[in-house]
mmCIF file with all atom_site columns, all heavy atoms in Angstrom:
data_model
loop_
_atom_site.group_PDB
_atom_site.id
_atom_site.type_symbol
_atom_site.label_atom_id
_atom_site.label_alt_id
_atom_site.label_comp_id
_atom_site.label_asym_id
_atom_site.label_entity_id
_atom_site.label_seq_id
_atom_site.pdbx_PDB_ins_code
_atom_site.Cartn_x
_atom_site.Cartn_y
_atom_site.Cartn_z
_atom_site.occupancy
_atom_site.B_iso_or_equiv
_atom_site.pdbx_formal_charge
_atom_site.auth_seq_id
_atom_site.auth_comp_id
_atom_site.auth_asym_id
_atom_site.auth_atom_id
_atom_site.pdbx_PDB_model_num
ATOM 1  N N   . ILE R 1 48  ? -32.893 -104.439 -92.857  1.00 0.00 ? 63  ILE R N   1
ATOM 2  C CA  . ILE R 1 48  ? -33.921 -103.982 -93.907  1.00 0.00 ? 63  ILE R CA  1
ATOM 3  C C   . ILE R 1 48  ? -34.720 -102.824 -93.355  1.00 0.00 ? 63  ILE R C   1
ATOM 4  O O   . ILE R 1 48  ? -34.998 -101.847 -93.971  1.00 0.00 ? 63  ILE R O   1
ATOM 5  C CB  . ILE R 1 48  ? -34.986 -105.165 -94.141  1.00 0.00 ? 63  ILE R CB  1
ATOM 6  C CG1 . ILE R 1 48  ? -34.132 -106.291 -94.938  1.00 0.00 ? 63  ILE R CG1 1
ATOM 7  C CG2 . ILE R 1 48  ? -36.145 -104.761 -94.918  1.00 0.00 ? 63  ILE R CG2 1
ATOM 8  C CD1 . ILE R 1 48  ? -35.005 -107.540 -95.087  1.00 0.00 ? 63  ILE R CD1 1
ATOM 9  N N   . ILE R 1 190 ? -7.473  -102.232 -90.738  1.00 0.00 ? 205 ILE R N   1
ATOM 10 C CA  . ILE R 1 190 ? -8.336  -103.411 -90.444  1.00 0.00 ? 205 ILE R CA  1
ATOM 11 C C   . ILE R 1 190 ? -7.715  -104.685 -90.863  1.00 0.00 ? 205 ILE R C   1
ATOM 12 O O   . ILE R 1 190 ? -7.543  -105.683 -90.070  1.00 0.00 ? 205 ILE R O   1
ATOM 13 C CB  . ILE R 1 190 ? -9.555  -103.294 -91.190  1.00 0.00 ? 205 ILE R CB  1
ATOM 14 C CG1 . ILE R 1 190 ? -10.437 -102.161 -90.605  1.00 0.00 ? 205 ILE R CG1 1
ATOM 15 C CG2 . ILE R 1 190 ? -10.482 -104.566 -91.217  1.00 0.00 ? 205 ILE R CG2 1
ATOM 16 C CD1 . ILE R 1 190 ? -11.722 -101.862 -91.259  1.00 0.00 ? 205 ILE R CD1 1
ATOM 17 N N   . LEU R 1 211 ? 7.576   -108.504 -83.036  1.00 0.00 ? 226 LEU R N   1
ATOM 18 C CA  . LEU R 1 211 ? 8.409   -108.174 -84.209  1.00 0.00 ? 226 LEU R CA  1
ATOM 19 C C   . LEU R 1 211 ? 7.519   -107.795 -85.425  1.00 0.00 ? 226 LEU R C   1
ATOM 20 O O   . LEU R 1 211 ? 7.864   -106.875 -86.110  1.00 0.00 ? 226 LEU R O   1
ATOM 21 C CB  . LEU R 1 211 ? 9.389   -109.284 -84.588  1.00 0.00 ? 226 LEU R CB  1
ATOM 22 C CG  . LEU R 1 211 ? 10.202  -109.114 -85.796  1.00 0.00 ? 226 LEU R CG  1
ATOM 23 C CD1 . LEU R 1 211 ? 11.126  -107.946 -85.625  1.00 0.00 ? 226 LEU R CD1 1
ATOM 24 C CD2 . LEU R 1 211 ? 11.062  -110.356 -86.106  1.00 0.00 ? 226 LEU R CD2 1
ATOM 25 N N   . ASP R 1 235 ? -3.165  -79.517  -101.351 1.00 0.00 ? 250 ASP R N   1
ATOM 26 C CA  . ASP R 1 235 ? -3.628  -78.187  -100.987 1.00 0.00 ? 250 ASP R CA  1
ATOM 27 C C   . ASP R 1 235 ? -3.604  -77.262  -102.200 1.00 0.00 ? 250 ASP R C   1
ATOM 28 O O   . ASP R 1 235 ? -4.414  -76.292  -102.365 1.00 0.00 ? 250 ASP R O   1
ATOM 29 C CB  . ASP R 1 235 ? -3.063  -77.656  -99.846  1.00 0.00 ? 250 ASP R CB  1
ATOM 30 C CG  . ASP R 1 235 ? -3.303  -78.412  -98.622  1.00 0.00 ? 250 ASP R CG  1
ATOM 31 O OD1 . ASP R 1 235 ? -4.471  -79.056  -98.560  1.00 0.00 ? 250 ASP R OD1 1
ATOM 32 O OD2 . ASP R 1 235 ? -2.542  -78.380  -97.708  1.00 0.00 ? 250 ASP R OD2 1
ATOM 33 N N   . GLY R 1 340 ? -30.830 -100.057 -78.301  1.00 0.00 ? 355 GLY R N   1
ATOM 34 C CA  . GLY R 1 340 ? -30.781 -100.721 -79.716  1.00 0.00 ? 355 GLY R CA  1
ATOM 35 C C   . GLY R 1 340 ? -29.420 -100.724 -80.258  1.00 0.00 ? 355 GLY R C   1
ATOM 36 O O   . GLY R 1 340 ? -29.051 -101.759 -80.922  1.00 0.00 ? 355 GLY R O   1
ATOM 37 N N   . ALA R 1 355 ? -17.875 -117.942 -83.030  1.00 0.00 ? 370 ALA R N   1
ATOM 38 C CA  . ALA R 1 355 ? -16.722 -118.472 -83.950  1.00 0.00 ? 370 ALA R CA  1
ATOM 39 C C   . ALA R 1 355 ? -15.471 -119.043 -83.104  1.00 0.00 ? 370 ALA R C   1
ATOM 40 O O   . ALA R 1 355 ? -15.029 -120.044 -83.465  1.00 0.00 ? 370 ALA R O   1
ATOM 41 C CB  . ALA R 1 355 ? -16.132 -117.337 -84.714  1.00 0.00 ? 370 ALA R CB  1
ATOM 42 N N   . GLU R 1 448 ? -0.527  -131.281 -95.891  1.00 0.00 ? 463 GLU R N   1
ATOM 43 C CA  . GLU R 1 448 ? 0.093   -130.121 -95.300  1.00 0.00 ? 463 GLU R CA  1
ATOM 44 C C   . GLU R 1 448 ? -0.870  -129.359 -94.407  1.00 0.00 ? 463 GLU R C   1
ATOM 45 O O   . GLU R 1 448 ? -0.463  -128.502 -93.552  1.00 0.00 ? 463 GLU R O   1
ATOM 46 C CB  . GLU R 1 448 ? 0.638   -129.230 -96.373  1.00 0.00 ? 463 GLU R CB  1
ATOM 47 C CG  . GLU R 1 448 ? -0.342  -128.512 -97.251  1.00 0.00 ? 463 GLU R CG  1
ATOM 48 C CD  . GLU R 1 448 ? -0.720  -129.378 -98.489  1.00 0.00 ? 463 GLU R CD  1
ATOM 49 O OE1 . GLU R 1 448 ? -0.306  -130.593 -98.406  1.00 0.00 ? 463 GLU R OE1 1
ATOM 50 O OE2 . GLU R 1 448 ? -1.290  -128.857 -99.416  1.00 0.00 ? 463 GLU R OE2 1
#
Side-chain angles (χ1 to χ4, degrees):
I63 294 173
I205 289 177
L226 176 61
D250 288 337
E463 65 273 12

